[in-house]
Amino acid sequence: MSEVMKGVYLTGHGGFDKLEYRNDIPKPVPNPDEVLVKIGAVAVNNTDINTRVGWYSKANTGDTASISSSENSNSADSDDASWGGDALSFPRIQGIDIAGEIVAVGSGTDADRIGSRVLVAPCLPGKTINETRFVGSELDGGFAEYVVIPSIHVLDINSNMTDAELASFPCSYTTAENMLERAKVSAGEKVLITGASGGVGSAAVQLAKRRGAHVIAVAGAAKKDEVMDAGATEFFDRGTNLIEALGTEIVDVVIDVVGGNSWPDLLEILKRKGRYAVAGAIAGPMVELDLRTLYLKDLTLIGATALEDCVFPNLISYIEQREIKPLIAKEYPLSDIVQAQKDFLEKKHTGKLVLIP
């Protein structure tokens, strides 16, 4: 087998010029307890773009679209522009959503795993955020032909879906399921989901519907049909005054990936003892909180990043049992990664954009 592979190096924080497609990247070799995965497909995510431009740095306070579309960010040389808050080492191979096949194993790993079709967990949890590693950030990911990952975080999957379809699941669906799990969403509850046409939002719609929830989706009006098909019960156009449209104290749970200026309204529409879960801030991370709303209504605010232990195995079972469906907007060759990210930033699609190495 060749000792080199094709892939995309991220050479530093910044614009699209920091993505370098190459055919001479050393192919990784699995260490003890690791597996080598031949990548069949890898999806495009907000997190890949946010990491590239350094949006996770506290130096950035704007929305993800304006910063991600810029050739420069306020954190090009920052030492805190990663998920864990530490400096990244470059070059880095990004790509958090990986579907593929195990083609080699390190010592200590069962050789019978070779040939297994697998999905890679996007998050490798640690005791602290600094010890938690994210695929494509703190360790190399899927924008290449091969990747090495600890065996325990690579799960077999039995499905007749294509690699592109399977690659649409790991990051978005685990993020969504993690929020739903931590918020303890149950059948019959009213759940409002922001950004409902995006990867995480559309996943949350499906997964909340799977739990038997009444799903209220918020997204751009042009995406209404797709979002309703995914399982929404009600739909509101992005920018709608939710207090006027719904009233106050009307929903049990808010699942949010948007944040931004309209954030206070999300707490107003929650019932007493309502739960708010967040795993993104595409409209901006800086929000205004009236502490009286929080404590007088006995609300619970939940941040959700590192996955609960049950989340990724549960996702595998949902896929195998066909309880959720993939939403693929378009496929690209890996060499077209810049175009794929540009299309992603335009937000004209519903579901996932997928790269094929």
Side-chain angles (χ1 to χ4, degrees):
M1 298 176 66
S2 174
E3 295 183 355
V4 296
M5 65 179 181
K6 299 174 184 176
V8 178
Y9 271 154
L10 177 68
T11 59
H13 294 301
F16 296 114
D17 61 304
K18 299 298 183 180
L19 296 172
E20 185 178 325
Y21 181 78
R22 300 176 57 152
N23 60 9
D24 62 348
I25 297 174
K27 188 170 72 177
V29 176
N31 292 315
D33 301 318
E34 293 181 335
V35 297
L36 177 67
V37 177
K38 179 175 174 54
I39 298 166
V42 56
V44 178
N45 277 280
N46 262 318
T47 182
D48 302 314
I49 298 172
N50 292 345
T51 297
R52 169 171 61 79
V53 300
W55 181 81
Y56 293 109
S57 170
K58 295 296 179 66
N60 283 314
T61 59
D63 64 273
T64 60
S66 62
I67 294 171
S68 299
S69 298
S70 173
E71 287 299 302
N72 298 294
S73 73
N74 292 333
S75 56
D77 298 315
S78 178
D79 61 0
D80 69 338
S82 71
W83 285 59
D86 293 325
L88 290 186
S89 59
F90 298 106
R92 171 63 70 211
I93 298 173
Q94 293 185 278
I96 197 171
D97 262 333
I98 301 171
E101 176 186 346
I102 295 176
V103 293
V105 299
S107 61
T109 301
D110 188 351
D112 288 344
R113 296 208 68 191
I114 295 174
S116 296
R117 202 170 185 212
V118 295
L119 290 181
V120 174
C123 172
L124 284 56
K127 292 181 180 179
T128 68
I129 186 64
N130 299 95
E131 295 175 351
T132 299
R133 296 184 295 163
F134 299 90
V135 176
S137 179
E138 283 69 36
L139 71 164
D140 283 339
F143 290 162
E145 292 182 294
Y146 297 90
V147 66
V148 160
I149 301 287
S151 177
I152 193 173
H153 298 296
V154 181
L155 298 190
D156 292 4
I157 186 161
N158 180 17
S159 173
N160 59 6
M161 292 186 192
T162 66
D163 285 336
E165 290 172 329
L166 290 177
S168 71
F169 289 116
C171 183
S172 293
Y173 283 74
T174 56
T175 299
E177 179 70 4
N178 201 41
M179 286 191 283
L180 295 168
E181 179 68 22
R182 295 202 62 197
K184 302 187 185 305
V185 171
S186 59
E189 290 192 305
K190 286 189 175 182
V191 179
L192 184 133
I193 299 170
T194 66
S197 63
V200 176
S202 60
V205 169
Q206 283 199 60
L207 292 165
K209 187 69 173 180
R210 179 197 165 275
R211 289 173 177 246
H214 177 107
V215 178
I216 304 170
V218 180
K223 312 290 181 61
K224 179 177 179 178
D225 289 345
E226 293 97 327
V227 173
M228 294 299 290
D229 286 344
T233 313
E234 299 181 60
F235 180 93
F236 291 97
D237 184 16
R238 182 178 61 244
T240 297
N241 185 312
L242 293 175
I243 294 176
E244 292 180 359
L246 291 169
T248 59
E249 302 198 42
I250 196 70
V251 304
D252 300 283
V253 179
V254 168
I255 299 296
D256 186 27
V257 295
V258 174
N261 293 334
S262 63
W263 186 85
D265 292 352
L266 299 178
L267 301 194
E268 294 294 341
I269 65 174
L270 279 170
K271 296 177 181 177
R272 181 174 176 268
K273 293 192 175 182
R275 292 96 73 199
Y276 166 90
V278 61
I282 59 176
M286 309 307 290
V287 298
E288 184 176 282
L289 170 62
D290 186 333
L291 287 173
R292 293 165 294 189
T293 303
L294 175 62
Y295 73 78
L296 290 174
K297 293 178 68 173
D298 295 300
L299 301 180
T300 299
L301 305 186
I302 303 165
T305 295
L307 302 180
E308 298 294 314
D309 290 343
C310 64
V311 166
F312 195 53
N314 283 352
L315 176 63
I316 296 291
S317 71
Y318 302 159
I319 297 168
E320 292 182 337
Q321 295 168 34
R322 287 278 183 172
E323 294 179 355
I324 53 177
K325 62 182 180 181
L327 297 175
I328 305 294
K330 189 174 180 180
E331 297 179 23
Y332 305 75
L334 181 60
S335 56
D336 286 349
I337 185 171
V338 170
Q339 186 59 54
Q341 290 197 1
K342 288 180 177 179
D343 291 349
F344 183 92
L345 288 168
E346 289 184 359
K347 302 296 183 185
K348 294 180 179 179
H349 61 286
T350 299
K352 299 304 291 277
L353 304 181
V354 180
L355 298 164
I356 309 298

